[in-house]
Amino acid sequence: MRLELGKILINDVKFCSETKVDKGVLYINKEELIAHLMDDEHLKSVDVDLAKPGESVRITPVKDVVEPRVKVNGAGGVFPGMISKVDVVGSGRTHVLKGAAVMTVGKIVGFQEGIIDMQGPGAEFTPFSKTNNIVLIVEPAEGVEAHAYEKAVRMAGLKAATYLGLAGKEVEPDEVEVFETKPLFEQAEELKHLPKVAYVQMLQSQGLLHDTYVYGVDAKQIVPTLLYPTELMDGAILSGNCVSACDKNTTYHHLNNPVVKAMYEQHGKEINFVGVIITNENVYLADKERSSNWTAKLCEFLNLDGAIVSQEGFGNPDTDLIMNCKKIEGKGVKTVIITDEYAGRDGASQSLADADVAANAVVTGGNANETIVLPKMDKVIGTLDYVDIIAGGFDGSLREDGSIMVELQAITGATNELGFNRLSATGY
């Protein structure tokens, strides 16, 4: 598959009477966007606000982040199985409004939503302090059940990103990146002098709002399978989960997976990047055994020399991570795992809930239990009502002076296990 990503650089967002892109500015007809989103009976109201880099703005509780984009040509459309019909994506051309992001904010259902500060020390721990953010404040209709509300909010984010992405369809991109993966045997013959390496991406699928979607299918219902890397880059995988904000893979993370990009940078030079194996993180032992068995089997079937394995979440999924690592290594395939740590506020506790001697090459996104004080911001988009109860918060997190003391766990993307963050360390 060959995918062209046309990047339209967005350096500002403004409300206007017409939704368009002009000279690096995304203009938005606020009323039209709201009307587009309010066709869902599960929603009582939708408001739209803007947050830009460097502003004294706090956004919370953040649910998902989505990058606006539009399919220009090639099979499928944006967000297949959710917005577009089910068709295989990953080829043709897609235009991306790079530098813009749609965020969804609303009443909390669980405990695991996030905080994004646009300035100050907290801004250094989230990539979304650097994007021009279109924030949807979404309120549920009376009597709507939690799961229906969460679905409605998720769809609102995807709809808004699609609506805004259309503004870039006829715009000449500032930059075009090309990514290509050839059919397996053709590429293996062409690059037979290079080691064959795959990316194993673990998808959060523990249920109870811990969901990820593959072409619209809940990942709990899949067995491990092989994808072209360009499918990920073109919207095949979407977030629908409420895991801790620090290591949640938002939809934006899936669309801009840095592991995929880094492997493409070495493709044809140092490695033969053969593809992506997606696997899930279910709760029960039998499901974990099945998925890790299949993952290792696919690695063996592809005759891999190496695999990079990334986790999403912590605790229960630590077992999936170690099972995948141990079984893949057992097939003679060298692994590197990417995770983060919950080692206590002093960093002295065991980092993962599971371990094995096979996991001897590790990249960590940092210790999510480390605490930070976030100073008061001049403006809050959303509400501070949940700061004391979100994961990473505690009784007294919100102080009388408006500042907040939380663990990094509460900051969206702070210890992301794709490496989409500023914290990292390696161990060999």
Side-chain angles (χ1 to χ4, degrees):
M1 279 191 179
R2 185 178 189 274
L3 177 66
E4 297 179 0
L5 287 180
K7 296 182 178 180
I8 300 165
L9 304 183
I10 302 299
N11 52 52
D12 199 4
V13 289
K14 297 180 180 180
F15 289 128
C16 185
S17 59
E18 179 185 1
T19 298
K20 62 181 180 179
V21 174
D22 185 29
K23 297 178 181 178
V25 180
L26 173 59
Y27 294 95
I28 304 168
N29 183 323
K30 179 177 177 178
E31 292 73 23
E32 186 175 82
L33 174 56
I34 292 174
H36 180 65
L37 301 176
M38 280 301 297
D39 62 351
D40 191 325
E41 63 183 7
H42 299 98
L43 302 182
K44 175 183 178 181
S45 66
V46 178
D47 196 8
V48 183
D49 208 338
L50 305 177
K52 306 175 187 180
E55 293 182 336
S56 182
V57 174
R58 173 164 295 141
I59 311 166
T60 186
V62 177
K63 295 176 176 293
D64 196 13
V65 186
V66 189
E67 188 172 55
R69 45 181 57 205
V70 61
K71 198 72 183 170
V72 176
N73 61 57
V78 293
F79 313 126
M82 291 288 194
I83 297 296
S84 303
K85 67 178 183 179
V86 178
D87 202 348
V88 177
V89 294
S91 62
R93 173 178 281 204
T94 298
H95 282 183
V96 181
L97 301 190
K98 186 59 64 178
V102 173
M103 294 181 181
T104 48
V105 172
K107 289 185 176 180
I108 196 166
V109 173
F111 301 98
Q112 297 170 311
E113 308 293 9
I115 299 171
I116 293 173
D117 282 356
M118 300 304 292
Q119 69 167 229
E124 296 301 314
F125 289 92
T126 175
F128 304 117
S129 64
K130 309 299 188 295
T131 51
N132 293 283
N133 301 316
I134 302 94
V135 186
L136 311 181
I137 304 97
V138 185
E139 293 297 322
E142 195 70 30
V144 171
E145 294 184 4
H147 71 278
Y149 168 55
E150 286 297 302
K151 179 180 179 181
V153 175
R154 180 170 67 252
M155 292 303 295
L158 298 175
K159 289 177 182 177
T162 303
Y163 166 86
L164 296 172
L166 284 170
K169 187 169 185 178
E170 304 300 329
V171 176
E172 186 65 27
D174 297 283
E175 177 186 350
V176 176
E177 286 189 299
V178 179
F179 303 90
E180 184 173 16
T181 297
K182 296 180 180 179
L184 187 64
F185 294 116
E186 177 184 347
Q187 187 163 287
E189 177 61 26
E190 184 177 303
L191 301 176
K192 58 186 177 184
H193 59 292
L194 295 176
K196 298 181 291 297
V197 182
Y199 170 39
V200 177
Q201 184 176 10
M202 296 168 53
L203 305 178
Q204 178 57 244
S205 55
Q206 291 174 276
L208 297 175
L209 305 179
H210 289 50
D211 305 315
T212 305
Y213 295 89
V214 181
Y215 284 98
V217 175
D218 191 330
K220 289 192 297 294
Q221 303 175 29
I222 71 169
V223 291
T225 190
L226 185 65
L227 297 181
Y228 280 97
T230 54
E231 291 179 77
L232 275 66
M233 306 174 89
D234 212 17
I237 299 178
L238 306 176
S239 174
N241 72 64
C242 299
V243 297
S244 290
C246 65
D247 52 19
K248 171 195 293 191
N249 290 335
T250 68
T251 297
Y252 191 103
H253 286 100
H254 287 299
L255 293 167
N256 296 277
N257 189 313
V259 179
V260 172
K261 186 174 181 181
M263 293 182 77
Y264 263 126
E265 288 174 352
Q266 297 303 317
H267 179 57
K269 303 172 185 175
E270 299 291 333
I271 63 172
N272 172 8
F273 181 20
V274 300
V276 178
I277 298 169
I278 57 170
T279 185
N280 50 27
E281 301 174 349
N282 285 341
V283 176
Y284 296 108
L285 181 59
D287 295 323
K288 295 177 183 294
E289 293 284 8
R290 180 187 305 109
S291 291
S292 56
N293 286 343
W294 276 59
T295 299
K297 177 186 69 174
L298 285 172
C299 290
E300 179 184 44
F301 189 47
L302 295 172
N303 194 27
L304 297 180
D305 298 295
I308 296 176
V309 186
S310 71
Q311 181 183 9
E312 182 176 12
F314 70 100
N316 187 290
D318 291 352
T319 301
D320 301 83
L321 176 68
I322 297 303
M323 290 173 78
N324 282 319
C325 174
K326 181 178 179 179
K327 292 179 182 180
I328 294 170
E329 287 268 353
K331 298 294 186 181
V333 180
K334 296 296 183 182
T335 63
V336 174
I337 62 173
I338 310 175
T339 182
D340 64 351
E341 303 172 60
Y342 287 76
R345 294 180 183 177
D346 59 358
S349 300
Q350 181 173 313
S351 297
L352 300 177
D354 200 357
D356 191 89
V357 293
N360 59 6
V362 183
V363 178
T364 171
N367 179 18
N369 294 137
E370 183 179 339
T371 58
I372 185 173
V373 175
L374 307 176
K376 180 181 179 180
M377 295 286 139
D378 294 337
K379 177 180 178 180
V380 174
I381 300 178
T383 178
L384 297 175
D385 291 350
Y386 307 108
V387 167
D388 285 1
I389 63 170
I390 59 175
F394 46 87
D395 188 27
S397 280
L398 181 59
R399 298 171 168 183
E400 290 185 3
D401 63 0
S403 65
I404 300 172
M405 182 177 182
V406 289
E407 296 180 352
L408 293 182
Q409 187 177 178
I411 298 176
T412 301
T415 62
N416 180 262
E417 294 160 294
L418 302 177
F420 206 125
N421 65 327
R422 65 183 290 270
L423 297 175
S424 185
T426 58
Y428 296 95

